[in-house]
Amino acid sequence: MSSERKSYHHGNLREALLETAFSLVDAEGAEGLSMRALARETGVSSAAPFRHFADKQRLLQAVAEKASEDLQQKLDEATRDRDDALTQFRAMTVAYVRFAAEHPNLFRLVQSIPSVSGAFLGEFNDERRLKLIALIYEGQNAGLIPDADPELIALSSEALTHGLARMIVDRHPRVRDLSSEDARKLALAATQLLQSGIGLS
Amino acid sequence: MSSERKSYHHGNLREALLETAFSLVDAEGAEGLSMRALARETGVSSAAPFRHFADKQRLLQAVAEKASEDLQQKLDEATRDRDDALTQFRAMTVAYVRFAAEHPNLFRLVQSIPSVSGAFLGEFNDERRLKLIALIYEGQNAGLIPDADPELIALSSEALTHGLARMIVDRHPRVRDLSSEDARKLALAATQLLQSGIGLS
DNA sequence: TGCTCATGTGAGCGGCGCTAACATCCGATC
DNA sequence: GATCGGATGTTAGCGCCGCTCACATGAGCA
């Protein structure tokens, strides 16, 4: 696994550490990762990583940022070429839940670092959120949507999405070990349900 | 903080360790807890805790079980004297979300130990879930509820509840630092919304 | 060619989880 | 009441950890 190296200097150690750490976290979770094991795996001394990351927390943050970019890219791909906000929202939910099912360890890491998840929820996604809220507002004017706070409606939609993803990574009884395809179906079905309402009243 | 002790033996070390650990986790999270610090705080040697807990994981599991019982008790109180399943479900959601807002560290710990959260979601709550599903089934026969899989409807309800709680403990932008009262309002509003449907279609 | 400084190494500090060998004393038994 | 075995405490210590410091190396620029 650990590749040999002829010269004293590595050449691209920072990237190498990041990639190795990313793979290790994805496969085994962030809890088990140690700086020393990471250095060993990368073929350098145990002090070398600290030339590139001030401490373990920064390393994990960098991994989380990379994972967050991956997730963001999946969301971008999923919503590309869909112009109405509702379709975008549903495609986003599906992509989000699928990412959680496929990379639970990375998903957990992203969520566990507020600065990363905060940035993730801030940048691009806020734009989409505002579009969704605008759509909700229109729907209310047309009498199609109940007269609740549009912010609340958007938040509840987010909560359903996040809740499905979290139930999967937290291994709740009926959604543990879901295949990517089952995760897709579940996310689609649940968002459809939210739109129509479950009707208990 | 650490109380003195006259005799060689502590007398009730296991409970003392559990209580101290519970408080420390509640206040500062499970990540920062160390067995040595816990022993120090309790006023015993660093090896003593291992007479009562095989390893750190077991200690954390015991703390998680205690937290899970507390949560369960809150849910029991919230649903007591409410006979219809729908009212119970909404009261449960409120209590669940409030617990997450008031004890995010304990909530996270419970969710991070599958055996504990699995048991939590299994025992009493399965009974309530079955009642909810029965109600959904009746509602469908009466034409009040869309004709989706009752299991899916129940699962989506759970997801909304869990998602709200998780967004709070994960410190998502619009729900971080929610007061207990705000958490209550949010949970109530969101469940109402789910019932009526957000109407986008 | 020679200097500088980013980037590597090795040794080591204090804290960790956990174990082993030994100390204490509670309480069952006579 | 004395005895003594086992539950429960202690001290010492192993290996791993995050992290630091003094020093080594060598790439790139003057």
Side-chain angles (χ1 to χ4, degrees):
Chain A
M1 189 65 77
S2 55
S3 56
E4 299 307 315
R5 169 176 43 113
K6 44 233 144 192
S7 64
Y8 187 84
H9 289 307
H10 181 284
N12 201 10
L13 183 52
R14 193 193 152 91
E15 299 315 311
L17 288 168
L18 245 184
E19 280 177 31
T20 307
F22 187 90
S23 300
L24 286 177
V25 169
D26 190 14
E28 298 164 30
E31 288 75 32
L33 184 70
S34 86
M35 294 296 271
R36 295 177 102 111
L38 174 60
R40 245 175 276 132
E41 193 77 12
T42 316
V44 293
S45 77
S46 58
F50 293 95
R51 292 284 176 205
H52 301 278
F53 301 96
D55 53 32
K56 188 182 183 178
Q57 186 57 34
R58 301 293 189 104
L59 185 267
L60 286 177
Q61 187 174 327
V63 172
E65 277 161 11
K66 203 164 133 87
S68 172
E69 284 163 19
D70 283 13
L71 172 53
Q72 187 65 59
Q73 190 189 324
K74 293 244 168 103
L75 297 188
D76 287 345
E77 283 170 14
T79 55
R80 187 171 305 149
D81 305 329
R82 307 186 191 228
D83 24 55
D84 72 299
L86 174 60
T87 311
Q88 279 195 11
F89 167 71
R90 286 177 46 190
M92 235 176 75
T93 294
V94 168
Y96 190 83
V97 172
R98 278 185 67 178
F99 185 88
E102 290 168 10
H103 304 282
N105 290 324
L106 292 175
F107 184 86
R108 256 191 297 262
L109 176 62
V110 168
Q111 298 294 334
S112 74
I113 300 186
S115 70
V116 177
S117 73
F120 170 77
L121 294 163
E123 285 165 36
F124 296 94
N125 300 313
D126 212 44
E127 175 190 330
R128 268 197 279 261
R129 209 183 117 263
L130 291 176
K131 268 166 69 179
L132 182 63
I133 288 181
L135 187 79
I136 291 167
Y137 197 69
E138 287 175 25
Q140 288 177 330
N141 281 341
L144 297 170
I145 298 180
D147 235 3
D149 178 8
E151 289 272 2
L152 172 67
I153 297 179
L155 190 62
S156 301
S157 309
E158 264 186 75
L160 182 68
T161 301
H162 189 62
L164 285 174
R166 257 296 165 181
M167 286 173 73
I168 292 171
V169 313
D170 290 341
R171 307 188 59 74
H172 280 221
R174 280 165 298 285
V175 291
R176 69 224 249 143
D177 302 318
L178 238 52
S179 73
S180 175
E181 175 57 18
D182 283 346
R184 198 195 117 260
K185 284 186 193 160
L186 174 59
L188 256 186
T191 51
Q192 272 172 323
L193 207 56
L194 177 66
Q195 289 161 33
S196 61
I198 67 174
L200 293 168
S201 59
Chain B
M1 190 65 77
S2 55
S3 57
E4 299 307 316
R5 169 176 41 116
K6 43 234 146 190
S7 64
Y8 187 84
H9 289 310
H10 181 284
N12 200 10
L13 184 52
R14 191 193 152 92
E15 298 316 311
L17 288 168
L18 245 184
E19 278 178 30
T20 306
F22 188 89
S23 300
L24 286 176
V25 169
D26 191 14
E28 300 165 28
E31 288 74 32
L33 184 70
S34 85
M35 295 296 271
R36 295 178 102 109
L38 174 60
R40 246 176 276 133
E41 193 78 11
T42 316
V44 292
S45 76
S46 59
F50 293 95
R51 292 284 176 206
H52 301 279
F53 300 96
D55 52 32
K56 189 182 183 179
Q57 185 56 34
R58 301 294 190 103
L59 185 268
L60 286 177
Q61 187 175 326
V63 172
E65 276 162 12
K66 202 163 134 85
S68 172
E69 283 163 19
D70 283 12
L71 172 52
Q72 186 65 59
Q73 191 189 324
K74 294 245 167 105
L75 297 189
D76 287 345
E77 283 170 13
T79 56
R80 186 173 305 149
D81 304 329
R82 307 184 190 230
D83 23 57
D84 72 299
L86 175 60
T87 310
Q88 279 196 10
F89 167 72
R90 286 178 47 192
M92 236 175 74
T93 295
V94 168
Y96 190 81
V97 172
R98 279 185 67 177
F99 186 88
E102 290 168 11
H103 304 284
N105 290 323
L106 292 175
F107 185 86
R108 255 192 297 262
L109 176 62
V110 168
Q111 297 295 333
S112 74
I113 300 185
S115 69
V116 176
S117 74
F120 171 78
L121 294 162
E123 284 165 34
F124 297 93
N125 299 312
D126 211 45
E127 176 190 331
R128 267 195 279 261
R129 210 183 117 263
L130 291 177
K131 266 165 70 179
L132 183 61
I133 289 180
L135 187 78
I136 292 167
Y137 197 69
E138 287 174 26
Q140 288 177 330
N141 281 340
L144 298 170
I145 297 179
D147 235 3
D149 178 7
E151 290 271 0
L152 172 67
I153 296 179
L155 189 63
S156 301
S157 309
E158 264 185 77
L160 182 68
T161 300
H162 189 62
L164 284 174
R166 257 295 166 183
M167 286 173 72
I168 291 171
V169 313
D170 290 341
R171 307 187 59 75
H172 280 221
R174 281 165 296 285
V175 292
R176 68 224 250 144
D177 302 318
L178 238 52
S179 74
S180 176
E181 176 57 19
D182 285 346
R184 197 195 116 259
K185 284 185 194 159
L186 175 58
L188 257 186
T191 50
Q192 272 173 322
L193 207 56
L194 177 66
Q195 289 161 33
S196 61
I198 67 174
L200 292 168
S201 58

